[in-house]
């Protein structure tokens, strides 16, 4: 348990969460964190996912395309681990992240469609 807890705390630090310890949150505080504007809400979470791909690609089309595909594949893997369709918040978050990456690709002059398809 201690190892898993420590890994989780490291993960929270890595993504920039500096709030109250998750285990100590009240129900209202937890609800606020997953609200539309909360740290774990659709907007902020999709921004973190999309920014990782966009910034990591440094404007390289093939890297951005690979990152986009990685997001989609990771979402599929999460569904498999979950045992089916993920909750609506997860689906909306992934849709928003993909849309942001698509917009970044378009703004750089890249086609959203894979040229090899």
């Amino acid at each position: 348990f201690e190892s898993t807890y420590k890994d989780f705390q490291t993960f929270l630090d890595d993504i920039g969460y500096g709030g109250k310890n998750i285990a100590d949150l009240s129900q209202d505080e937890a609800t606020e964190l997953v609200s539309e504007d909360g740290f774990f809400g659709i907007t902020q979470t999709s921004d973190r996912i999309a920014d990782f791909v966009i910034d990591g690609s440094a404007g390289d089309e093939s890297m951005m395309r690979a990152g986009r595909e990685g997001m989609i594949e990771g979402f599929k893997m999460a569904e498999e681990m979950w045992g089916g369709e993920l909750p609506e918040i997860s689906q909306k978050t992934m849709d928003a992240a993909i849309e942001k990456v698509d917009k970044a690709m378009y703004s750089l002059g890249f086609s959203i469609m894979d040229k090899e398809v």
Side-chain angles (χ1 to χ4, degrees):
F1 173 79
E2 287 182 33
S3 174
T4 301
Y5 179 78
K6 191 173 189 177
D7 290 345
F8 182 65
Q9 291 302 319
T10 299
F11 165 75
L12 292 175
D13 291 341
D14 289 347
I15 64 169
Y17 177 73
K20 190 174 182 180
N21 186 314
I22 298 293
D24 296 332
L25 295 173
S26 69
Q27 184 173 358
D28 288 342
E29 291 168 325
T31 299
E32 177 61 30
L33 278 177
V34 296
S35 70
E36 181 63 34
D37 296 322
F39 186 82
F40 296 110
I42 294 166
T43 301
Q44 289 191 47
T45 302
S46 64
D47 283 347
R48 283 191 297 277
I49 295 167
D51 289 348
F52 180 81
V53 170
I54 294 164
D55 296 344
S57 74
D60 179 87
E61 181 179 6
S62 63
M63 294 287 289
M64 191 172 288
R65 199 171 294 286
R68 183 184 186 279
E69 186 58 36
M71 289 185 336
I72 294 167
E73 185 60 30
F75 186 74
K76 288 177 186 176
M77 291 171 64
E79 284 186 321
E80 288 174 18
M81 290 172 35
W82 183 261
E85 193 172 274
L86 289 171
E88 183 179 13
I89 189 171
S90 300
Q91 294 175 39
K92 287 182 176 182
T93 299
M94 188 51 55
D95 289 345
I98 292 168
E99 182 179 337
K100 290 171 188 180
V101 171
D102 288 351
K103 285 181 180 179
M105 289 176 68
Y106 180 78
S107 72
L108 291 169
F110 307 143
S111 172
I112 304 306
M113 301 300 293
D114 190 337
K115 296 174 186 173
E116 297 190 16
V117 172

